[in-house]
Amino acid sequence: MAENYKPKDFIHEIIDEHNRTGRFGGRVHTRFPPEPNGYLHIGHAKAICIDFGIAEEYGGLCNLRFDDTNPTKEEVEYVESIKEDIRWLGFDWGNREYYASDYFEKLYEFAIILIKKGKAYVCDCSPEEVRQMRGTLTEPGKECIHRTRSVEENLNLFERMRAGEFPDGAKTLRAKIDMKHPNLNMRDPIMYRIMHVPHHRTGDKWCIYPTYDWAHGQSDSIEGITHSICTLEFEDHRPLYDWFLDELGIHHPQQIEFARLNLTYTVLSKRKLLQLVEQKYVDGWDDPRMPTLSGLRRRGYTPEAIRKFCEIIGVSKNNTVVDIALLEHCLRDDLNKRAPRRMAVLRPLKVVIDNYPEGQVEELDAINNPEDMGMGIRKVPFSKIIYIEQDDFREDPPKEFYRLAPGREVRLRYAYFIRCVDVVKDKDGNIVELHCTYDPKTRGGDAPDGRKVKSTLHWVSADHCINAEVRLYDRLFKTPDPDEGGDFLRNFNPESLKVLLNCKLEPALKDAKPGEFFQFERLGYFCVDRDSKPGKLIFNRSVNIKDTWAKIEARMAGK
Ligand code: ATP
Ligand code: MG
């Protein structure tokens, strides 16, 4: 039987092997563990698609677990946005919404077990001393004097750490592993630090907080996770992940690492995204230029396009940089099938059709989506005065410019052929108005005598159109690698947002609601901004349509 053969990625291979050997009794249970210290971005979408997607494929479950072990940077606002974004992407964690902080008591008990086994000790070294004694990749670390404390003394000190007797940084609890271990993560890593800081969920209950390494694997174990999928930077932490679980003798999930997503023209570090927000380079976390899921959503990205993108990039062990054009392609591809077509003029140029009867209005048929005739047709009003795009006229057309010019004939989409007969200018020489004639025999857009024109322009009727603000976005950074030159903020693209206040739309767009998307013919895909209201419409350009003219222009400019 012929079947579509799709090569398996390494994660599927590992899980299939576990299912064969029965390591987890055939169970597949994953988790997505965001730290609530920022908004989710497109890199997280990759992780979400893997964590939830794999669970779904194997008929398993995926938990949502907030990794809230660091009280200083975490906020409730982030928790809410993370949940909204995962739901929007189309995934569901059922009632399995967990928090690492729910396990603080249990983790404390686990720590006591390790202390009693002689596998953890309270250390008085300062962070600086810990760093100095840790050694390097080529030099072994040194054991500190606190390492030989008795179990009783450790139990006593650890209890008093919890009780709040010591100031921040005075002591830590460390795993007692091996200061000469070739893997630096195994050189007596810190399990707890003292921080007299309230936590967004546990309040003042704790003044000692577990480190990521100590919290993560044990939280996985408590939840019965089978496959703990994370990004490559945790590969070197896996021996420690395994060591804790083995020493405690509890359920032992398999950690699996994959390469994180990097995108050209994009930063995906939460620290840098926060800087863009705080220093007002952008208008908040959901600015349509941001690679956050809320930004992409506001920009007009669909969950379908993002999931498709994640499917195409797949998973691997190699750190690569994906071209942002691929993400844009996925959106274009999705919207091409689904977006209703409309006509909109962004930079209007008035055109008077001299031989068109004064006061006459025709309702012309326009196709809503040539990719899907099921989407039907609509009526577009045509009259004596229309607007076309300023860009679609050149008084002195260069060689490969085929649009309107003096004496030249072009087609108006769904309407008539028009020929330019006169150009009106203001006293400064700016073109303010064109005069044209139309050929009544070309209604619908074709000439009965078979004569051809080289271009078709979009247009709107001046008496019927509605006004709108349109925001055009470009890449947030000027260089494919925003970190080029050392400081990403210096590569910020100041032209990444252009606001056009005087755009003219065909009347069918009057009731467009926030979140709805359209193709503006010849211009690109646009969605209605969340701040848009009837009478004050605001559209965001999601992505352009491939524009051959832009390429020609670039070629002529010698680029
Ligand atoms: P940052 O390093 O910017 O703080 P993070 O990795 O610490 O981000 P978390 O909230 O801890 O952010 O991430 C949650 C999950 O998403 C983790 O499993 C992490 O590995 C994964 N993840 C984060 N960034 C990416 C990325 N660029 N590509 C794929 N997965 C990612
Ligand atoms: Mg993290």
Side-chain angles (χ1 to χ4, degrees), residues 419-463:
R419 185 183 300 279
C420 178
V421 293
D422 197 15
V423 180
V424 180
K425 296 183 185 172
D426 64 13
K427 61 178 184 351
D428 302 322
N430 301 310
I431 298 169
V432 291
E433 180 176 311
L434 303 179
H435 284 259
C436 293
T437 56
Y438 87 118
D439 176 353
K441 291 197 288 295
T442 56
R443 182 175 157 138
D446 282 310
D449 63 5
R451 95 184 171 274
K452 298 283 179 226
V453 287
K454 283 206 166 145
S455 77
T456 300
L457 310 186
H458 60 275
W459 53 274
V460 295
S461 163
D463 275 349

Side-chain angles (χ1 to χ4, degrees), residues 345-350 387-390 432 502-504:
V345 174
L346 302 187
R347 296 175 180 90
L349 172 60
K350 186 174 166 189
Y387 293 114
I388 64 167
E389 239 22 277
Q390 287 170 16
V432 291
N502 183 33
C503 305
K504 310 285 186 187

